[in-house]
Amino acid sequence: MEQIKVIVTGYDHYEGVEVNPSYQVPQALADRGMGGLTRTDTQLEDPLRGVDLDITAVTLPVSFAKAWPILHQAIERVEPDLVIATGLKRHARGISMERCAVNIKEVGHDLACQDESGHGPTEPIDPDGPAAYWTRLPLRAILQEFGHCGIPATLSSDAGTYVCNALFYNLLGWATKHPDVLAGFVSLPMVNETDPQGLGLPLEQQIQAIQEVVRETVRYYRQPSSSPILIA
Ligand code: PCA
């Protein structure tokens, strides 16, 4: 049986957020695996057939300095085939499939660096790095599958300028030297059962969304020509 190792990441505590889906969703995948996921499109063969899927959840601190080194250590330990990072995008209504990571971090998110207007300096993440990296996840196939399952989602060109984007940028920079590994970032909305304004999606639907991301990424990993990566 072919073993495929997956790391799914999220964050522990995020200021002012009671239930952080990016903590809950990776844990649920590590506990349940793909259990309970039923296929809606019977024309495609299930890419998980004959696969021993090993899912590791990694919880990261919301810290520019610490998030990537901790994920990097986990990658060296697990030697994954796929890395799917997640984070919370507070004002999103559905799942945001992130196309690219940009070489910018707004240090002003750190309260200690803010000026009176609440802003701080903007810096490159890697002064010698490219302006952006494209995701390595098959976004078109994933969005099609979301359509079949009725999961609200959009393409996004912007994971922000905070820790999520910096982690995404560092991850994709690492992936350029490891072309066999597929890696990308998915932003999750609030859990609507716990959001005061009911914004976002139910936790179970967010878990299902990341299960679909894993499944379609495994399909692409096993048959690279089967699901184009959408970058435009
Ligand atoms: N969202 C923040 C950091 C942690 C998270 O879940 C961001 O958008 O960068």
Side-chain angles (χ1 to χ4, degrees):
M1 209 178 220
E2 182 185 2
Q3 191 187 45
I4 295 184
K5 291 193 262 184
V6 187
I7 287 183
V8 185
T9 80
Y11 294 94
D12 46 19
H13 178 69
Y14 188 24
E15 191 79 35
V17 176
E18 200 189 322
V19 179
N20 182 358
S22 93
Y23 174 77
Q24 308 277 344
V25 170
Q27 297 296 330
L29 260 77
D31 290 349
R32 299 184 204 170
M34 305 293 280
L37 184 65
T38 47
R39 284 201 50 77
T40 51
D41 180 351
T42 49
Q43 284 175 356
L44 292 176
E45 198 187 318
D46 189 341
L48 297 175
R49 187 175 296 166
V51 171
D52 169 18
L53 197 67
D54 180 276
I55 301 179
T56 303
V58 177
T59 304
L60 303 169
V62 181
S63 156
F64 279 124
K66 295 185 194 152
W68 169 242
I70 292 175
L71 174 54
H72 190 208
Q73 268 179 13
I75 288 174
E76 293 202 322
R77 190 180 70 246
V78 173
E79 297 186 343
D81 304 294
L82 320 179
V83 183
I84 292 158
T86 74
L88 174 67
K89 208 180 229 182
R90 283 189 210 218
H91 303 294
R93 300 201 170 257
I95 309 288
S96 301
M97 299 305 304
E98 303 295 350
R99 272 182 180 136
C100 59
V102 294
N103 192 5
I104 287 178
K105 64 175 176 181
E106 213 174 327
V107 185
H109 280 293
D110 180 347
L111 289 177
C113 300
Q114 283 181 2
D115 63 17
E116 286 163 2
S117 66
H119 292 286
T122 300
E123 295 175 355
I125 296 162
D126 175 358
D128 302 319
Y133 292 113
W134 296 118
T135 187
R136 307 212 54 233
L137 300 183
L139 300 190
R140 185 189 296 276
I142 293 166
L143 284 169
Q144 256 169 25
E145 201 55 30
F146 281 176
H148 290 306
C149 303
I151 297 172
T154 53
L155 273 174
S156 162
S157 301
D158 183 1
T161 50
Y162 192 30
V163 177
C164 288
N165 172 67
L167 182 83
F168 188 19
Y169 188 89
N170 283 310
L171 173 61
L172 291 179
W174 174 89
T176 58
K177 296 180 207 92
H178 299 84
D180 294 343
V181 179
L182 295 182
F185 197 95
V186 182
S187 296
L188 302 171
M190 293 290 284
V191 173
N192 66 3
E193 294 107 321
T194 59
D195 183 63
Q197 283 133 32
L199 202 67
L201 297 176
L203 183 60
E204 278 305 314
Q205 197 171 31
Q206 301 202 35
I207 293 168
Q208 186 194 2
I210 300 303
Q211 286 174 324
E212 294 292 352
V213 170
V214 170
R215 200 157 55 111
E216 289 311 308
T217 307
V218 168
R219 187 192 305 286
Y220 182 70
Y221 181 79
R222 297 185 81 193
Q223 294 173 280
S225 61
S226 65
S227 337
I229 291 180
L230 178 64
I231 56 172

